Amino acid sequence: MVRPIYLIAGALLNAAGDEASDLHGAAPTPQPLAFDPARRAHAIATPRLPVDLFDRKIQRSVEPQGLRLLHCAARLATELRALELPPERVGLTAAIPEVDAPSPCWDAVEAIRSQPEKPVAALFANTPPLHALTLLNSSVMAYVAEALRCNGPMGGYCSQANAGLDALIEAVLQIAEGRADAMLMVSTSPNLTPALYLREPSMGEADAEVHGEGAAALLLAAAPAEHATQRVRVVGFARGYGAIGERATAVVERVLKQALKDERLNLSDVEQIVADPADPLLNTLLGRHRPLQSSRSRTGNLGASSLPTEVLYALGDPGYGDVPRHALLLNRTSAGHCGALLLAIDYTEKGA
């Protein structure tokens, strides 16, 4: 990379809690969903926004997933101000899910399942409610930019798990290539509504994945935070795509090789690997080097917010103490997207 990229601070909100240390505590029990008691998920209450940053009317006008994102962004306002950068040198990227409210009622979802040949099924399964989604994208990013004075480069990414990595990589590149001196990256999960389950291929199966609600935000800069004892640099990343099946292994291997290349590491050199232990392919490729770690058992699948949440999980792991290490994060979606992020974690003397 042209310039070093440091992770300055992070904030999160999910069923496990709102601190990185909460991701290593006891796993909360998923609760039944109001629209389908047979299903369980990690739902959370809608957060209240700080009125010193956001106008009161925003609390009433933004969807719950947008409020979660704004809540996490607000928690990084102090760290961002401490950088003392001109607003035009601070950029913003956002990872927002493709599934948003409003959504059809659960009875309609069940009817679509029972009559898949009907044309309306394809419409609901492949088309998000575009009007609501467009409003969420534009309004939420505008609210963050205004409140935290992010007047530099902007980019929004809209899909499921891979959106978090896309938004994070874009933030890294903006700094590395000199277009910004700091970037705020924000993300949120989908709302737990019937619309989310329309897209699930395992819908109705006993082992269907547990979803969660939550958000996460990361602040990156070209220089480390003053007096920080933990210094985290982004030292590698890669993305790939391949239809699930025969090519999946080759795609993952290529992504891993590219992410490790600049640090000249082998997988066996990486001290911490964060990836979904329930993914058999990742277990096969990575598990022989290190046990796979993840916060998913405590948060559920957070979609677009999964990767930044896993970053904070990796940084807050008490099992490593103050030992310098590399942390490799890998996520793979059911659609065939694969992405990896490599962090170098070092420590300094307190107050240095």
Side-chain angles (χ1 to χ4, degrees):
M1 296 183 192
V2 179
R3 303 168 81 192
I5 313 299
Y6 291 89
L7 176 60
I8 301 297
L12 56 82
L13 174 71
N14 54 60
D18 58 6
E19 299 293 338
S21 57
D22 296 330
L23 298 174
H24 297 274
T29 303
Q31 300 300 311
L33 290 167
F35 57 85
D36 182 12
R39 294 178 183 273
R40 294 179 179 271
H42 290 288
I44 60 171
T46 302
R48 303 297 301 179
L49 299 180
V51 294
D52 60 326
L53 284 174
F54 299 108
D55 190 284
R56 291 180 185 274
K57 67 181 180 181
I58 295 174
Q59 186 75 40
R60 301 188 299 271
S61 62
V62 174
E63 287 289 335
Q65 63 186 29
L67 294 176
R68 295 191 289 266
L69 182 154
L70 294 174
H71 171 83
C72 286
R75 291 179 60 197
L76 297 182
T78 300
E79 287 86 349
L80 181 53
R81 280 195 294 266
L83 297 178
E84 298 182 341
L85 292 170
E88 62 272 15
R89 297 298 296 171
V90 180
L92 171 66
T93 60
I96 298 174
E98 60 191 355
V99 178
D100 185 29
S103 65
C105 71
W106 194 239
D107 289 342
V109 174
E110 293 298 324
I112 291 169
R113 287 185 61 204
S114 64
Q115 299 179 328
E117 72 283 357
K118 297 290 186 181
V120 71
L123 175 66
F124 274 109
N126 297 299
T127 306
L130 295 175
H131 178 64
L133 189 59
T134 301
L135 288 177
L136 179 71
N137 273 332
S138 59
S139 62
V140 165
M141 292 194 72
Y143 293 147
V144 174
E146 181 179 11
L148 276 74
R149 302 187 70 204
C150 304
N151 296 351
M154 275 186 160
Y157 298 83
C158 181
S159 62
Q160 296 295 59
N162 55 298
L165 183 67
D166 290 342
L168 184 54
I169 289 177
E170 183 61 27
V172 167
L173 290 174
Q174 292 292 338
I175 299 173
E177 296 170 1
R179 290 188 288 271
D181 294 320
M183 293 290 296
L184 180 65
M185 180 266 172
V186 292
S187 64
T188 184
S189 70
N191 291 322
L192 290 171
T193 68
L196 176 61
Y197 289 86
L198 273 172
R199 295 172 180 269
E200 291 303 298
S202 58
M203 187 172 168
E205 296 178 8
D207 61 348
E209 187 167 28
V210 174
H211 287 285
E213 290 179 328
L218 302 174
L219 178 60
L220 301 107
E226 192 175 357
H227 305 308
T229 56
Q230 186 188 60
R231 294 195 174 179
V232 183
R233 286 186 304 122
V234 178
V235 293
F237 58 81
R239 288 174 287 194
Y241 175 80
I244 52 176
E246 306 171 339
R247 292 196 60 245
T249 298
V251 170
V252 174
E253 288 177 337
R254 186 171 69 251
V255 165
L256 288 170
K257 182 178 180 181
Q258 184 178 342
L260 299 171
K261 180 181 64 176
D262 287 350
E263 287 287 281
R264 299 179 181 177
L265 296 177
N266 296 314
L267 267 176
S268 56
D269 300 320
V270 178
E271 294 86 355
Q272 184 179 17
I273 299 178
V274 178
D276 185 5
D279 186 319
L281 175 57
L282 298 187
N283 251 321
T284 299
L285 294 177
L286 305 174
R288 65 179 181 271
H289 299 282
R290 296 278 185 276
L292 302 190
Q293 303 173 273
S294 177
S295 61
R296 283 193 177 217
S297 63
R298 297 168 180 84
T299 66
N301 180 359
L302 296 177
S305 191
S306 291
L307 185 86
T309 300
E310 295 279 57
V311 168
L312 296 175
Y313 169 84
L315 300 183
D317 192 331
Y320 291 91
D322 292 346
V323 178
R325 65 190 184 276
H326 283 94
L328 175 68
L329 298 96
L330 191 85
N331 83 230
R332 198 170 72 96
T333 72
S334 57
H337 300 91
C338 179
L341 180 74
L342 184 66
L343 304 175
I345 306 169
D346 296 307
Y347 294 86
T348 63
E349 294 293 331
K350 290 187 177 179

